[in-house]
Amino acid sequence: MAAKPDDVARIREWGSRSDKPTVIDAMATVIGTDLRQDVARIASPTLVQGTWIAYQDHAPPPRFNV
C-alpha cells in the first residue's frame, strides 16, 4: 500500500537486502493461513489484529518495475 516514491524506494531497498526464500516462505504462511476458527479457542486476554484492506474499495495500485 505504499504510494509515495520515497516509501517505495525504501521498501525496494529492504527487499534487496532480504533473504528471498525466507521472505517468500513467511509471506506464503501469513497469506495462506486462515486462523479465524482458531481465534475462538484463545483462552487468555489477547490482542488480535486483522486487516481491513480486503474490504476497502481501492483503485488499482500504480505499477512499479521491481
Side-chain angles (χ1 to χ4, degrees):
M1 293 301 301
K4 295 179 183 175
D6 289 345
D7 293 338
V8 172
R10 184 178 320 113
I11 292 168
R12 289 179 72 184
E13 173 61 26
W14 293 340
S16 69
R17 294 183 286 156
S18 297
D19 180 62
K20 289 182 181 17
T22 302
V23 171
I24 291 167
D25 186 48
M27 292 301 296
T29 300
V30 168
I31 292 169
T33 304
D34 184 354
L35 298 174
R36 289 176 290 182
Q37 297 299 319
D38 297 327
V39 169
R41 296 190 311 226
I42 297 173
S44 59
T46 305
L47 173 63
V48 177
Q49 296 180 324
T51 181
W52 51 265
I53 198 67
Y55 303 105
Q56 299 298 310
D57 185 21
H58 292 284
R63 309 250 332 152
F64 296 100
N65 294 329
V66 178

